[in-house]
Amino acid sequence: MRFDRSTLKFLLCVALLTAGIAIGYAIAYIAGASPSSVPLISSAIGLCLAFAVPIWQTYFLNAPKLSVEITSIKRTVSDQAVIALQDFPELQILKKNRRIIVQPPLLGLHDLVGRPTVETSSALKISDLDDLLNRTKQEYKDLPEKIEERRKELEEISKTNPAEFTRWDCARFNRPLSPEVEFDQDNKERTLELLQAEYKKRFDILEKRHQELQRDLPITERKLEILRDELINNRSFFTISASLINSGRTNSAIKVPALLRVVIGEGNYIDLKLSLKDFEEKSEISANGTRIVVFESSEISSLPEEDRRLINTYWGQSVRSRLYVENITSMIYQSNQIPFAEGLYQKIIYDRLAQEATLRSQKLSSTA
């Protein structure tokens, strides 16, 4: 139990007052006055009770009692970490599906290896690149059907009889074209040749794209996986969600700094410094109340190289982590111990729930 300075001064006054009474009785006894010890004992007991009751109420009965439970750990690549498409030939096939994303000047991946950063609208976050990759994979999946449709359209034009070719037919064939082919009533054969050439171009473009994706898509996936690993290892940060439960009779509040200690062996650990998000709204926990809070670390690039190497090695492994927080009266609380991995703690809870559900189902079956 820790006491603040005002309480320590209060206790010191009590001790000095009690000591003063005892010294007075000692002096009287030495002088031959033979004072009775009953008043001394009674006074001491009275003083102790008088001062102990408010202290007990303040620090025990009405004191806040916090318990901390980590609910999840998540590792995320910083939004400030971007990749410029034009810097990597393996990613060029994604450009066709690129959305126009305007971003302020940000640090690119090349900063990690000491090369100049290219500030461009094609510098995308890893989540945007994943989205582009998914759309490109879907495009590759849909291409055979589209190529077959273009082939049928091309065959239809090639089989069209010029004598039966009308302005309405020309308008129908022109529908997907831009610019359109002009209908020549006096030279329908030439009109059909121009339409066929345009449809052949559209067919060839799709076939070429299909061949390109068939050849390069696996290379793009592999390169993107390498870049993702680099960003995770160098430009990621941790988000820890926790429940703060106050079972005491008075409100409490926690401070912004917190610590996540990852124990990887006997006397070997990593400390991640955290900060409480939305401090103004989330720091206070009411009496008999619960608060869900989120802590964030800085990018792991700010850590010493050895700590960064250990984090990248043991993230997702069978090591344990524990959260430490401090309230405004400098009381420190520790959380439950959970695996240093994303989603593993939730899996443990799901397993417990499934086990309990099975037990209860068996009980219901046995009583039926």
Side-chain angles (χ1 to χ4, degrees), residues 144-279:
E145 183 178 348
K146 292 182 178 180
I147 290 173
E148 185 59 28
E149 290 176 359
R150 296 283 171 87
R151 180 181 285 109
K152 290 179 179 179
E153 293 170 349
L154 187 58
E155 289 176 354
E156 183 182 359
I157 293 178
S158 63
K159 292 178 180 178
T160 301
N161 187 347
E164 299 175 354
F165 185 60
T166 65
R167 186 179 298 276
W168 181 87
D169 292 325
C170 183
R172 178 169 60 87
F173 285 132
N174 267 322
R175 199 168 298 152
L177 300 182
S178 180
E180 297 181 352
V181 174
E182 186 176 351
F183 178 72
D184 188 349
Q185 179 68 38
D186 299 326
N187 194 348
K188 295 181 180 181
E189 291 86 353
R190 178 59 179 167
T191 304
L192 281 171
E193 288 175 0
L194 292 175
L195 285 170
Q196 189 171 0
E198 290 299 321
Y199 270 75
K200 183 67 166 61
K201 287 180 184 178
R202 296 173 74 239
F203 175 79
D204 290 342
I205 289 172
L206 284 188
E207 272 210 325
K208 181 180 178 181
R209 178 64 172 171
H210 185 262
Q211 293 170 1
E212 178 187 35
L213 293 179
Q214 191 173 40
R215 181 187 66 243
D216 296 339
L217 192 55
I219 300 173
T220 300
E221 288 188 83
R222 177 57 184 159
K223 183 61 178 180
L224 197 54
E225 189 64 32
I226 293 172
L227 294 175
R228 183 186 294 104
D229 289 343
E230 288 187 34
L231 289 177
I232 290 174
N233 290 341
N234 295 280
R235 300 297 305 276
S236 61
F237 63 94
F238 290 92
T239 303
I240 289 83
S241 300
S243 299
L244 304 180
I245 304 168
N246 182 9
S247 57
R249 298 188 179 184
T250 57
N251 296 352
S252 184
I254 59 171
K255 298 178 180 178
V256 174
L259 182 79
L260 184 75
R261 170 157 293 188
V262 182
V263 179
I264 59 179
E266 186 69 28
N268 196 6
Y269 58 86
I270 312 163
D271 285 339
L272 285 174
K273 296 179 180 178
L274 309 173
S275 294
L276 176 64
K277 287 188 65 178
D278 303 323
F279 169 74

Side-chain angles (χ1 to χ4, degrees), residues 2 5 13 58 90 131 144 200 260 267 269 272 278 355 366:
R2 296 182 181 179
R5 290 186 177 182
C13 291
T58 301
E90 302 91 338
D131 180 57
K200 183 67 166 61
L260 184 75
Y269 58 86
L272 285 174
D278 303 323
Q355 184 178 7
S366 61

